Amino acid sequence: MEIVVCIKRVPDTAEAEVTITEDKKDIKKEGLAFEINEWDNYAVEEAVQLKEKFGGNITVVSVGSAESNDIIRRALAMGADRGILLRDEAFDGSDSYAIAKILHGAIKDIKFDLVLTGAQAGDDGCAQVGPTLAELLGIPHATLVTNIEIEDGKAKVRRELEGGLEELLEIELPALFGIQTGINEPRYVSIMGIRKARKKEIVEMGLKDIGLTGDEVGLAGSKTIIEELFIPPVGEGAEIIEGDAAEVSARLAEILKEKGVLA
Amino acid sequence: MSEIFVLAEHRRGELREITLEMLSGIRDLSEKMGADLTAVLLGKNVGEFAETLKNYANKILVIEDEKLENFNAEAYQRVLSALIKERNPILTVIGHSAFGMDLAPSLATELDLPLATDCIGFEYEDGKLFAIRQIYGGKVNAKVSFKGDRYMMTIRAGAFPIDKEASMGGEIISVESPLKEDIPYRRFIEYIEAPPGEVDITQADILVGVGRAIGDVENLPLVEELAEALGGVVACTRPVVDKKWLPKERQVGTSGKVVKPKLYLAIGISGAFQHLAGMKGSELIVAINKDPKAPIFNAAHYGIVDDLFKVVPVLTEKIKELKS
């Protein structure tokens, strides 16, 4: 089974303070730790598990800067066979549509049975690239996928719906699946493993290599434009209880008692 | 007259709330744009939904077809692309739900329309439409513009309240299904219910919710002990379930359970909107988190900005002391 996995390098902002740049188009990236997008990590693991079952090859593809080599190498250490880094100044400012277009440029010439992406990315949260790429490739897709079973050129996939409900679908291959977190338990990657994976090939491709022109990518090729970023207005918010652990605990216990929660 | 399409969403015989939220929220925009508000309803035996939608839209386009009985992104895309090509709406609005996330991006790509997903609002200035969406887990908002003069948006659940007083008296228009052939690539088989768990968190008066910041499954006894002292039950966020630290039945949020306890004590929870959607109806919300800018503090009534590992053991002792 030939599998392509699309991955993205994103900043970890879960517990970091986020500030906006002067031109209001981006956040300040200095001091932030970067990692593989959480959803994509599950997609890589899913690909590796499918390869372990059916054999074949895994190609990981990422649009980004030279630093994205780090996450590609990490995926190679998990079990992928080769990497493609799509890197060109012309790609800067691409929206989800333009990113899908760039990925399409590289993937259309690869033989594949399955394309996996994360269902969304933790930075922009667009959840657009996967199904957009599927449409460009002319293949069916399903997103928010929580289980994949392959049989006779078809996939039985589970999709996560709301409120704990799931749906079971049958989809013809080749297809693209957007992977939801929790589908598997991504394996641990050691420094040693990443070092060993250095022998595997990473190909770098730019605008011309994928047969696109400058007006098809970047801001020119995007359909949506970020006008400005701003910090969301805060509501009334919580009454903050101040003090050390003993003080805040005593005060909170008092509040709970007043509110009749402590029976 | 131009029109705005809003796609009605329904599942297993029920119109989903997001449909009326979108129609209520977009009505103001349709007036500003001078466009009719048109609900698009696809399905089988959906007459009852059409009656409800009369209050919320100027027109209700109804396409009945047994191939549309259950949501199928492939079938829906075929019908909607035909309908959008024919009627050329200025804006098409779809829910940012499991349903819309599977449908909107490929539909927009087929029709060459700009799409902004997961929008929580919009602005309309000098004839130009802007979408407001959240990025970086709700820490930053983005104002987004569209190229061209036809647009598409998906809207986050809960972004707009339902106008319960709406009475627009819309006209129901029946449209013939453009689906002539079978849907070749994608087949719906069945719905799968979550297995009932040992604990029903929706029945608890006191919930101690735990998030990713608990760090490791080995640290869970810390919150279990606090829950026990309070006479409550431990619930959690999605990442805790993804990491298999707690079973799915404990998950609060969009893809988990909606809870309304007397007390929701959120520990190490940043407050992703999917989680907030599941617990914001709680009577009393208290949050303990070391990040003072965590969105959970906007939803909470009381907050403690500190390391959970410092506060929780002391709080547990204090509660035990008060109860004995």
Side-chain angles (χ1 to χ4, degrees), chain B residues 1-47:
Chain B
M1 188 170 194
S2 64
E3 62 185 338
I4 295 176
F5 273 8
V6 175
L7 180 62
E9 191 170 318
H10 55 89
R11 183 181 295 145
R12 302 171 109 186
E14 276 182 44
L15 194 62
R16 303 199 65 239
E17 275 190 1
I18 190 160
T19 309
L20 302 185
E21 291 171 9
M22 291 190 291
L23 286 164
S24 302
I26 294 294
R27 188 164 70 208
D28 175 50
L29 180 65
S30 76
E31 282 162 13
K32 282 183 185 153
M33 285 181 146
D36 266 350
L37 188 55
T38 301
V40 178
L41 175 60
L42 316 183
K44 189 187 149 203
N45 299 329
V46 287

CSV table of all heavy atoms in Angstrom, one decimal, chain B residues 1-47:
chain,number,residue,atom,x,y,z
B,1,MET,N,-33.4,39.4,-7.1
B,1,MET,CA,-32.8,39.7,-5.8
B,1,MET,C,-31.8,38.7,-5.5
B,1,MET,O,-32.0,37.5,-5.7
B,1,MET,CB,-33.9,39.7,-4.7
B,1,MET,CG,-33.4,40.2,-3.4
B,1,MET,SD,-34.8,40.5,-2.3
B,1,MET,CE,-34.0,41.4,-1.0
B,2,SER,N,-30.6,39.1,-5.0
B,2,SER,CA,-29.6,38.1,-4.6
B,2,SER,C,-30.0,37.4,-3.3
B,2,SER,O,-30.9,37.8,-2.6
B,2,SER,CB,-28.3,38.8,-4.4
B,2,SER,OG,-28.3,39.7,-3.3
B,3,GLU,N,-29.4,36.3,-3.1
B,3,GLU,CA,-29.7,35.5,-1.9
B,3,GLU,C,-28.5,34.9,-1.2
B,3,GLU,O,-27.4,34.8,-1.7
B,3,GLU,CB,-30.8,34.4,-2.2
B,3,GLU,CG,-30.3,33.4,-3.2
B,3,GLU,CD,-31.4,32.4,-3.6
B,3,GLU,OE1,-32.4,32.2,-2.9
B,3,GLU,OE2,-31.2,31.8,-4.6
B,4,ILE,N,-28.7,34.6,0.1
B,4,ILE,CA,-27.7,33.9,0.9
B,4,ILE,C,-28.3,32.5,1.2
B,4,ILE,O,-29.4,32.4,1.7
B,4,ILE,CB,-27.5,34.7,2.2
B,4,ILE,CG1,-26.9,36.1,1.9
B,4,ILE,CG2,-26.6,33.9,3.2
B,4,ILE,CD1,-26.6,36.9,3.2
B,5,PHE,N,-27.5,31.5,0.9
B,5,PHE,CA,-27.9,30.2,1.2
B,5,PHE,C,-27.4,29.8,2.6
B,5,PHE,O,-26.2,30.1,3.0
B,5,PHE,CB,-27.2,29.2,0.3
B,5,PHE,CG,-27.9,28.9,-1.0
B,5,PHE,CD1,-29.0,29.7,-1.4
B,5,PHE,CD2,-27.4,28.0,-1.9
B,5,PHE,CE1,-29.6,29.4,-2.6
B,5,PHE,CE2,-28.0,27.7,-3.1
B,5,PHE,CZ,-29.1,28.4,-3.5
B,6,VAL,N,-28.3,29.2,3.4
B,6,VAL,CA,-27.8,28.6,4.7
B,6,VAL,C,-28.2,27.1,4.6
B,6,VAL,O,-29.4,26.8,4.4
B,6,VAL,CB,-28.5,29.3,5.9
B,6,VAL,CG1,-28.1,28.6,7.2
B,6,VAL,CG2,-28.0,30.7,6.0
B,7,LEU,N,-27.3,26.2,4.8
B,7,LEU,CA,-27.6,24.8,4.6
B,7,LEU,C,-28.1,24.3,6.0
B,7,LEU,O,-27.5,24.3,7.0
B,7,LEU,CB,-26.3,24.0,4.2
B,7,LEU,CG,-26.5,22.5,4.1
B,7,LEU,CD1,-27.5,22.2,3.0
B,7,LEU,CD2,-25.2,21.8,3.8
B,8,ALA,N,-29.4,23.7,5.9
B,8,ALA,CA,-30.0,23.1,7.1
B,8,ALA,C,-29.3,21.8,7.4
B,8,ALA,O,-28.9,21.0,6.5
B,8,ALA,CB,-31.5,22.9,6.9
B,9,GLU,N,-29.1,21.5,8.7
B,9,GLU,CA,-28.4,20.3,9.1
B,9,GLU,C,-29.3,19.5,10.0
B,9,GLU,O,-29.9,20.1,10.9
B,9,GLU,CB,-27.1,20.7,9.9
B,9,GLU,CG,-26.2,19.6,10.1
B,9,GLU,CD,-24.9,20.0,10.7
B,9,GLU,OE1,-24.3,21.0,10.2
B,9,GLU,OE2,-24.4,19.4,11.6
B,10,HIS,N,-29.5,18.2,9.7
B,10,HIS,CA,-30.3,17.4,10.5
B,10,HIS,C,-29.7,16.0,10.6
B,10,HIS,O,-28.9,15.6,9.7
B,10,HIS,CB,-31.7,17.3,9.9
B,10,HIS,CG,-31.8,16.9,8.5
B,10,HIS,ND1,-31.9,15.6,8.1
B,10,HIS,CD2,-31.8,17.6,7.3
B,10,HIS,CE1,-32.0,15.5,6.8
B,10,HIS,NE2,-31.9,16.7,6.3
B,11,ARG,N,-30.1,15.3,11.6
B,11,ARG,CA,-29.6,13.9,11.8
B,11,ARG,C,-30.6,13.1,12.6
B,11,ARG,O,-31.1,13.6,13.6
B,11,ARG,CB,-28.2,14.0,12.6
B,11,ARG,CG,-27.6,12.6,12.8
B,11,ARG,CD,-26.3,12.8,13.6
B,11,ARG,NE,-25.3,13.5,12.8
B,11,ARG,CZ,-24.4,14.4,13.4
B,11,ARG,NH1,-24.4,14.5,14.7
B,11,ARG,NH2,-23.6,15.0,12.7
B,12,ARG,N,-30.9,12.0,12.1
B,12,ARG,CA,-31.7,11.0,12.7
B,12,ARG,C,-33.1,11.6,13.2
B,12,ARG,O,-33.5,11.6,14.3
B,12,ARG,CB,-31.0,10.4,14.0
B,12,ARG,CG,-29.7,9.7,13.6
B,12,ARG,CD,-29.0,9.3,14.8
B,12,ARG,NE,-29.0,7.9,15.0
B,12,ARG,CZ,-28.5,7.3,16.1
B,12,ARG,NH1,-28.0,8.0,17.1
B,12,ARG,NH2,-28.5,6.0,16.2
B,13,GLY,N,-33.7,12.3,12.2
B,13,GLY,CA,-35.0,12.9,12.5
B,13,GLY,C,-35.1,14.1,13.3
B,13,GLY,O,-36.1,14.5,13.7
B,14,GLU,N,-33.9,14.8,13.5
B,14,GLU,CA,-33.9,16.0,14.2
B,14,GLU,C,-33.2,17.1,13.5
B,14,GLU,O,-32.0,16.9,13.1
B,14,GLU,CB,-33.3,15.8,15.6
B,14,GLU,CG,-34.3,15.3,16.6
B,14,GLU,CD,-33.7,15.1,18.0
B,14,GLU,OE1,-33.0,16.1,18.5
B,14,GLU,OE2,-34.0,14.1,18.6
B,15,LEU,N,-33.8,18.3,13.5
B,15,LEU,CA,-33.1,19.5,12.9
B,15,LEU,C,-32.0,19.9,14.0
B,15,LEU,O,-32.3,20.0,15.1
B,15,LEU,CB,-34.1,20.6,12.7
B,15,LEU,CG,-33.7,21.8,11.9
B,15,LEU,CD1,-33.4,21.4,10.5
B,15,LEU,CD2,-34.8,22.8,11.9
B,16,ARG,N,-30.8,20.0,13.5
B,16,ARG,CA,-29.7,20.3,14.5
B,16,ARG,C,-29.7,21.8,14.8
B,16,ARG,O,-30.0,22.7,14.0
B,16,ARG,CB,-28.4,19.9,14.0
B,16,ARG,CG,-28.4,18.3,13.7
B,16,ARG,CD,-27.0,17.7,13.6
B,16,ARG,NE,-26.4,17.8,15.0
B,16,ARG,CZ,-25.3,18.4,15.2
B,16,ARG,NH1,-24.6,19.0,14.3
B,16,ARG,NH2,-24.8,18.4,16.4
B,17,GLU,N,-29.4,22.2,16.1
B,17,GLU,CA,-29.5,23.5,16.6
B,17,GLU,C,-28.7,24.5,15.7
B,17,GLU,O,-29.1,25.7,15.6
B,17,GLU,CB,-29.0,23.6,18.0
B,17,GLU,CG,-30.1,23.3,19.0
B,17,GLU,CD,-29.7,23.6,20.4
B,17,GLU,OE1,-28.6,24.1,20.6
B,17,GLU,OE2,-30.6,23.3,21.3
B,18,ILE,N,-27.6,24.1,15.2
B,18,ILE,CA,-26.7,25.0,14.5
B,18,ILE,C,-27.5,25.6,13.3
B,18,ILE,O,-27.2,26.7,12.9
B,18,ILE,CB,-25.4,24.2,14.0
B,18,ILE,CG1,-24.4,25.3,13.4
B,18,ILE,CG2,-25.7,23.1,13.0
B,18,ILE,CD1,-23.0,24.8,13.4
B,19,THR,N,-28.5,24.9,12.7
B,19,THR,CA,-29.2,25.4,11.6
B,19,THR,C,-29.9,26.8,12.0
B,19,THR,O,-29.8,27.8,11.3
B,19,THR,CB,-30.3,24.4,11.2
B,19,THR,OG1,-29.7,23.2,11.0
B,19,THR,CG2,-31.0,24.9,9.9
B,20,LEU,N,-30.6,26.7,13.1
B,20,LEU,CA,-31.3,27.9,13.6
B,20,LEU,C,-30.4,29.0,14.1
B,20,LEU,O,-30.6,30.2,13.9
B,20,LEU,CB,-32.4,27.6,14.6
B,20,LEU,CG,-33.4,26.5,14.2
B,20,LEU,CD1,-34.5,26.4,15.3
B,20,LEU,CD2,-34.1,26.9,12.9
B,21,GLU,N,-29.2,28.6,14.6
B,21,GLU,CA,-28.2,29.5,15.1
B,21,GLU,C,-27.7,30.3,13.8
B,21,GLU,O,-27.6,31.5,13.9
B,21,GLU,CB,-27.0,28.8,15.7
B,21,GLU,CG,-27.4,28.2,17.1
B,21,GLU,CD,-26.2,27.3,17.6
B,21,GLU,OE1,-25.1,27.3,17.0
B,21,GLU,OE2,-26.5,26.6,18.6
B,22,MET,N,-27.4,29.6,12.8
B,22,MET,CA,-26.8,30.2,11.6
B,22,MET,C,-27.9,31.2,11.0
B,22,MET,O,-27.6,32.3,10.6
B,22,MET,CB,-26.4,29.2,10.5
B,22,MET,CG,-25.2,28.4,10.9
B,22,MET,SD,-24.6,27.3,9.6
B,22,MET,CE,-25.8,26.1,9.4
B,23,LEU,N,-29.1,30.7,10.9
B,23,LEU,CA,-30.2,31.5,10.3
B,23,LEU,C,-30.4,32.8,11.1
B,23,LEU,O,-30.5,33.9,10.6
B,23,LEU,CB,-31.5,30.7,10.1
B,23,LEU,CG,-31.4,29.7,8.9
B,23,LEU,CD1,-32.6,28.7,9.1
B,23,LEU,CD2,-31.5,30.4,7.6
B,24,SER,N,-30.4,32.6,12.4
B,24,SER,CA,-30.6,33.8,13.3
B,24,SER,C,-29.4,34.8,13.2
B,24,SER,O,-29.6,36.0,13.1
B,24,SER,CB,-30.7,33.3,14.8
B,24,SER,OG,-31.8,32.5,15.0
B,25,GLY,N,-28.2,34.2,13.1
B,25,GLY,CA,-27.0,35.1,13.1
B,25,GLY,C,-26.8,35.8,11.8
B,25,GLY,O,-26.2,36.8,11.7
B,26,ILE,N,-27.2,35.1,10.7
B,26,ILE,CA,-26.9,35.7,9.4
B,26,ILE,C,-28.0,36.6,8.9
B,26,ILE,O,-27.9,37.4,7.9
B,26,ILE,CB,-26.8,34.5,8.3
B,26,ILE,CG1,-25.5,33.7,8.7
B,26,ILE,CG2,-26.7,35.0,6.9
B,26,ILE,CD1,-24.2,34.4,8.5
B,27,ARG,N,-29.2,36.7,9.6
B,27,ARG,CA,-30.3,37.5,9.1
B,27,ARG,C,-29.9,38.9,9.0
B,27,ARG,O,-30.2,39.6,8.0
B,27,ARG,CB,-31.5,37.3,10.1
B,27,ARG,CG,-32.7,38.0,9.5
B,27,ARG,CD,-34.0,37.6,10.2
B,27,ARG,NE,-34.0,38.1,11.5
B,27,ARG,CZ,-34.7,37.5,12.5
B,27,ARG,NH1,-35.3,36.4,12.4
B,27,ARG,NH2,-34.6,38.0,13.7
B,28,ASP,N,-29.2,39.4,10.0
B,28,ASP,CA,-28.8,40.8,10.0
B,28,ASP,C,-27.9,41.1,8.8
B,28,ASP,O,-28.0,42.2,8.1
B,28,ASP,CB,-28.0,41.1,11.3
B,28,ASP,CG,-27.4,42.4,11.4
B,28,ASP,OD1,-28.1,43.4,11.1
B,28,ASP,OD2,-26.2,42.5,11.7
B,29,LEU,N,-27.0,40.2,8.4
B,29,LEU,CA,-26.1,40.3,7.3
B,29,LEU,C,-27.0,40.3,6.0
B,29,LEU,O,-26.7,41.1,5.1
B,29,LEU,CB,-25.1,39.2,7.3
B,29,LEU,CG,-24.1,39.2,6.1
B,29,LEU,CD1,-23.2,40.5,6.1
B,29,LEU,CD2,-23.2,38.0,6.1
B,30,SER,N,-28.0,39.5,5.9
B,30,SER,CA,-28.8,39.4,4.7
B,30,SER,C,-29.5,40.7,4.5
B,30,SER,O,-29.6,41.2,3.3
B,30,SER,CB,-29.8,38.2,4.8
B,30,SER,OG,-30.8,38.5,5.6
B,31,GLU,N,-29.9,41.4,5.6
B,31,GLU,CA,-30.6,42.7,5.4
B,31,GLU,C,-29.6,43.7,4.9
B,31,GLU,O,-29.9,44.5,4.0
B,31,GLU,CB,-31.2,43.1,6.8
B,31,GLU,CG,-32.5,42.3,7.0
B,31,GLU,CD,-33.0,42.4,8.5
B,31,GLU,OE1,-32.4,43.2,9.3
B,31,GLU,OE2,-33.9,41.6,8.9
B,32,LYS,N,-28.4,43.7,5.5
B,32,LYS,CA,-27.4,44.7,5.1
B,32,LYS,C,-27.0,44.5,3.7
B,32,LYS,O,-26.7,45.4,2.9
B,32,LYS,CB,-26.1,44.6,6.0
B,32,LYS,CG,-26.3,45.2,7.3
B,32,LYS,CD,-25.0,45.1,8.1
B,32,LYS,CE,-25.2,45.6,9.5
B,32,LYS,NZ,-24.2,45.0,10.5
B,33,MET,N,-26.9,43.2,3.2
B,33,MET,CA,-26.5,42.9,1.8
B,33,MET,C,-27.7,43.1,0.9
B,33,MET,O,-27.5,43.0,-0.3
B,33,MET,CB,-26.0,41.5,1.8
B,33,MET,CG,-24.6,41.3,2.3
B,33,MET,SD,-24.1,39.6,2.1
B,33,MET,CE,-22.4,39.8,1.8
B,34,GLY,N,-28.9,43.3,1.4
B,34,GLY,CA,-30.1,43.3,0.6
B,34,GLY,C,-30.3,42.0,-0.1
B,34,GLY,O,-30.8,42.0,-1.3
B,35,ALA,N,-30.1,40.9,0.6
B,35,ALA,CA,-30.2,39.6,0.0
B,35,ALA,C,-31.3,38.8,0.7
B,35,ALA,O,-31.5,39.0,1.9
B,35,ALA,CB,-28.9,38.9,0.0
B,36,ASP,N,-32.0,38.0,0.0
B,36,ASP,CA,-32.9,37.1,0.7
B,36,ASP,C,-32.2,36.0,1.5
B,36,ASP,O,-31.1,35.6,1.1
B,36,ASP,CB,-33.8,36.3,-0.4
B,36,ASP,CG,-35.1,37.0,-0.7
B,36,ASP,OD1,-35.4,37.9,0.1
B,36,ASP,OD2,-35.7,36.6,-1.7
B,37,LEU,N,-32.8,35.6,2.6
B,37,LEU,CA,-32.2,34.6,3.4
B,37,LEU,C,-32.9,33.3,3.0
B,37,LEU,O,-34.1,33.1,3.2
B,37,LEU,CB,-32.4,34.9,4.9
B,37,LEU,CG,-31.7,34.0,5.9
B,37,LEU,CD1,-30.2,34.0,5.6
B,37,LEU,CD2,-31.9,34.6,7.3
B,38,THR,N,-32.1,32.4,2.4
B,38,THR,CA,-32.7,31.1,1.9
B,38,THR,C,-32.1,29.9,2.6
B,38,THR,O,-30.9,29.7,2.6
B,38,THR,CB,-32.4,31.0,0.4
B,38,THR,OG1,-32.9,32.2,-0.3
B,38,THR,CG2,-33.0,29.8,-0.2
B,39,ALA,N,-33.0,29.2,3.3
B,39,ALA,CA,-32.6,27.9,3.9
B,39,ALA,C,-32.6,26.8,2.8
B,39,ALA,O,-33.6,26.7,2.1
B,39,ALA,CB,-33.5,27.6,5.1
B,40,VAL,N,-31.6,26.0,2.8
B,40,VAL,CA,-31.5,24.9,1.8
B,40,VAL,C,-31.6,23.6,2.6
B,40,VAL,O,-30.8,23.3,3.5
B,40,VAL,CB,-30.2,24.9,1.0
B,40,VAL,CG1,-30.1,23.8,0.1
B,40,VAL,CG2,-30.1,26.3,0.3
B,41,LEU,N,-32.7,22.9,2.3
B,41,LEU,CA,-33.0,21.7,3.1
B,41,LEU,C,-33.0,20.4,2.2
B,41,LEU,O,-33.8,20.3,1.3
B,41,LEU,CB,-34.4,21.9,3.8
B,41,LEU,CG,-35.0,20.7,4.6
B,41,LEU,CD1,-34.1,20.3,5.7
B,41,LEU,CD2,-36.3,21.1,5.1
B,42,LEU,N,-32.0,19.6,2.5
B,42,LEU,CA,-31.9,18.3,1.7
B,42,LEU,C,-32.2,17.2,2.6
B,42,LEU,O,-31.8,17.1,3.7
B,42,LEU,CB,-30.5,18.2,1.1
B,42,LEU,CG,-29.8,19.4,0.5
B,42,LEU,CD1,-28.4,19.0,0.0
B,42,LEU,CD2,-30.6,20.0,-0.6
B,43,GLY,N,-32.9,16.2,2.1
B,43,GLY,CA,-33.2,15.0,2.9
B,43,GLY,C,-34.3,14.2,2.4
B,43,GLY,O,-34.7,14.3,1.2
B,44,LYS,N,-34.9,13.4,3.2
B,44,LYS,CA,-36.1,12.6,2.8
B,44,LYS,C,-37.1,12.7,3.9
B,44,LYS,O,-36.8,12.6,5.1
B,44,LYS,CB,-35.6,11.1,2.7
B,44,LYS,CG,-36.6,10.2,2.1
B,44,LYS,CD,-36.1,8.8,2.2
B,44,LYS,CE,-37.3,7.8,2.4
B,44,LYS,NZ,-36.9,6.6,3.0
B,45,ASN,N,-38.3,13.0,3.6
B,45,ASN,CA,-39.4,13.3,4.5
B,45,ASN,C,-39.0,14.4,5.5
B,45,ASN,O,-39.0,14.2,6.7
B,45,ASN,CB,-39.8,12.0,5.3
B,45,ASN,CG,-40.3,10.9,4.4
B,45,ASN,OD1,-40.9,11.2,3.3
B,45,ASN,ND2,-40.0,9.7,4.7
B,46,VAL,N,-38.7,15.5,5.0
B,46,VAL,CA,-38.2,16.6,5.8
B,46,VAL,C,-39.2,17.8,5.9
B,46,VAL,O,-38.9,18.9,6.3
B,46,VAL,CB,-36.8,17.1,5.4
B,46,VAL,CG1,-35.7,16.1,5.7
B,46,VAL,CG2,-36.8,17.5,3.9
B,47,GLY,N,-40.5,17.5,5.5
B,47,GLY,CA,-41.5,18.5,5.5
B,47,GLY,C,-41.6,19.3,6.9
B,47,GLY,O,-41.9,20.5,6.9
